[in-house]
Each structure stands twice: as structure tokens, then as C-alpha cells.
């Protein structure tokens, strides 16, 4: 794995300097080593696949880039869960690749999945400070703007898709949201503390968000270890607990929004 990491880092430097021909065999060797040593599905393999996909995208081989990114997203989704921000980032890349090849209708559901993941994330990271919110939101807003542009193309004659116009409105409103809404929602949560039942829901949601963050950290640490007896069982158990925590968090957030609609409106409004 250390050799693969060195090869990957050297390839990244060459890639950044636009020496794509020299970077490709290094990325390829790093991927082969990781697959041989770690197996076909660890996160480091997904990283290598994404790096190689980015290189092929830069060289213009969009079909190969898409296949590589699809494998990477499949790994991230299986390991991290379907609502993880890394999955959204991969979906945005796949959507852009589909769009670049002119397949607008295949790109649309990918952009939409990414949008929904990001909306959920905006509702479950409210405890983060403004700087962290802005950092998380920058890539999301860029993707939302690209999605809006796609929807505008689909809504344009001579064969306008009327559903694209309504989806564009929803996406525009989501793109306008951000750290301001998060700050207002945190203030609203503090104001709601006078209601014991609502305050208890808010505390539960906050506890579950922290637990989820801790589980993500544990998953990353476990996956970074070389395979060993029992590692597969530990990973499976962590993934199961993470999935259960995600479900509990979604339920707690929904109950909080139902009990305190103003909080939901401020946190991440849907038009």
C-alpha cells in the first residue's frame, strides 16, 4: 500500500503539471497494487479509480472516464452509504460526464440524486460553524448551478420538458440556501429550548449527528488498515451501525421538523 500511495502521489503531481502520458501508467500501477493487496472494493481503490477517471476525462476519453467513475461511486455507495457527501460528489462528476457526451436525459437523474443528498446533508449538519458550512456548500452550489443549466436546456424549445422548469425552480431555491439558513436554524433551535419536548428532539438529532460523524471516522480508520482476520466482520458491523444511525437521524430530523415547522423552513426550505 505504501508503494501504491507513492505512485499515486507522483502521478497526481504529473497530472497537475499536465504531463498526462507520464501520469497514466503510475495511476494504473497504483490501482493494480491496491486491488491486489486490498481487494477490489476498499476506499483506496475507489480513490485510484477516480484519479484515473479524472485523467481519462482530461485526455478526452469520456467513455472510459465514466466507467472508472461508476466503479468508484459504486464502492463509495457500498462502503459509506447512499447519502454520504462523497457519493454526491461522484454523482456530480458522472452527471457532468454524461452531459459532456450529449446524453442530457441520463445526466438529469444523476444531478437530481446529488441534489437530494446535498439537501439531506444541509439538514443534518446544522451544528457546524459558518466556515465549515461554506466549505461543504461550495462544491454543492457549483453542482446545483450546473444542474440548473441542464434543466434550462431541457426546458428550451423545440421540445421543451415542462417538468424541467419545476425542477429548476426547486434547485434554484436550494442553491440560494446556505450558511445563513443554517445560522437561522440554530437560532430557532435555541429559541425552541423553552419547549421541553421540542428541545429533547433537537438534542436527540444533535446526538445522532455527532454519533454519525464518529462512525464515519471509525469507518475511515478501519478501511485504512490492511486486511486481517476479522476485519471484514468489523467493517460489516460498522456499516450496519452507521446505516441504523442514518435511519434514526432521518427519523429524528423529520420528527423535529414536524414538531417545529419553522425550524424546517429555516434549515433547508423546499419551495
Amino acid at each position: 500500500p505504501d508503494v501504491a500511495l507513492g505512485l499515486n502521489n507522483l502521478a497526481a503531481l504529473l497530472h497537475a503539471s499536465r504531463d498526462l502520458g507520464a501520469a497514466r501508467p503510475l495511476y494504473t500501477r497504483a490501482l493494480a497494487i491496491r486491488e491486489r493487496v486490498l481487494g477490489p472494493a476498499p476506499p483506496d481503490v475507489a480513490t485510484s479509480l477516480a484519479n484515473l477517471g479524472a485523467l481519462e476525462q482530461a485526455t478526452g476519453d469520456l467513455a472510459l472516464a465514466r466507467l472508472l467513475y461508476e466503479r468508484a461511486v459504486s464502492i463509495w455507495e457500498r462502503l459509506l452509504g447512499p447519502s454520504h457527501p462523497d457519493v454526491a460528489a461522484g454523482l456530480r462528476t458522472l452527471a457532468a460526464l454524461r452531459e459532456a457526451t450529449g446524453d442530457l436525459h441520463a445526466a438529469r437523474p444523476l444531478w437530481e440524486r446529488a441534489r437530494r443528498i446535498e439537501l439531506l446533508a444541509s439538514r443534518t449538519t446544522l451544528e457546524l460553524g459558518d466556515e465549515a458550512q461554506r466549505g461543504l456548500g461550495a462544491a454543492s452550489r457549483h453542482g446545483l448551478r450546473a444542474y440548473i443549466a441542464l434543466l434550462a436546456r431541457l426546458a428550451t424549445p423545440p421540445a421543451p420538458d415542462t417538468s424541467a422548469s419545476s425542477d429548476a425552480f426547486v434547485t434554484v431555491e436550494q442553491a440560494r440556501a446556505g450558511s445563513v439558513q443554517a445560522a437561522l436554524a440554530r437560532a430557532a433551535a435555541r429559541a425552541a429550548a423553552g419547549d421541553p419536548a421540542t428541545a429533547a428532539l433537537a438534542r436527540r438529532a444533535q446526538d445522532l449527528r455527532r454519533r454519525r460523524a464518529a462512525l464515519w471516522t471509525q469507518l475511515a480508520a478501519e478501511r485504512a488498515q490492511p486486511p486481517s482476520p476479522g476485519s471484514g466482520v468489523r467493517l460489516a458491523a460498522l456499516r450496519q451501525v452507521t446505516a441504523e444511525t442514518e435511519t434514526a437521524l432521518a427519523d429524528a430530523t423529520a420528527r423535529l421538523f414536524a414538531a417545529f415547522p419553522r425550524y424546517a423552513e429555516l434549515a433547508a426550505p423546499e419551495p
Side-chain angles (χ1 to χ4, degrees), residues 175-231:
R176 291 172 55 195
S179 59
V180 172
Q181 278 74 16
L184 289 171
R186 290 195 297 271
R190 288 192 293 270
D195 178 358
T198 305
L201 283 172
R203 283 195 299 273
R204 173 161 172 75
Q206 184 178 52
D207 289 344
L208 286 166
R209 286 193 293 268
R210 290 171 176 165
R211 177 168 172 74
R212 181 185 63 177
L215 285 166
W216 281 353
T217 299
Q218 290 178 49
L219 275 169
E222 184 66 33
R223 289 194 302 266
Q225 300 300 316
S228 62
S231 61

Side-chain angles (χ1 to χ4, degrees), residues 98-99 102-110 150 154 159-161 164:
R98 286 287 195 178
E99 193 170 347
D103 196 347
L104 306 188
H105 292 284
R108 183 178 178 180
L110 297 170
L150 170 69
L154 291 172
D161 182 339

Side-chain angles (χ1 to χ4, degrees), residues 28-65:
T28 302
R29 283 181 60 198
L31 173 61
I33 291 171
R34 284 171 167 170
E35 287 183 318
R36 185 175 67 252
V37 175
L38 302 176
D44 285 348
V45 171
T47 299
S48 285
L49 289 165
N51 288 340
L52 195 52
L55 183 141
E56 298 300 346
Q57 183 178 6
T59 65
D61 192 342
L62 302 186
L64 179 55

Side-chain angles (χ1 to χ4, degrees), residues 46-135:
T47 299
S48 285
L49 289 165
N51 288 340
L52 195 52
L55 183 141
E56 298 300 346
Q57 183 178 6
T59 65
D61 192 342
L62 302 186
L64 179 55
R66 177 173 61 83
L67 292 174
L68 291 164
Y69 271 115
E70 283 176 344
R71 286 183 60 197
V73 170
S74 176
I75 292 171
W76 286 324
E77 191 165 7
R78 185 162 61 254
L79 293 178
L80 304 175
S83 60
H84 194 278
D86 286 354
V87 175
L91 290 170
R92 288 196 301 267
T93 300
L94 281 173
L97 284 167
R98 286 287 195 178
E99 193 170 347
T101 60
D103 196 347
L104 306 188
H105 292 284
R108 183 178 178 180
L110 297 170
W111 284 123
E112 178 63 18
R113 278 190 63 199
R115 182 193 75 79
R116 291 178 179 275
I117 292 171
E118 288 151 1
L119 179 63
L120 176 63
S122 72
R123 289 174 166 173
T124 57
T125 56
L126 296 175
E127 74 279 6
L128 297 179
D130 289 344
E131 283 299 320
Q133 287 282 350
R134 281 193 288 271

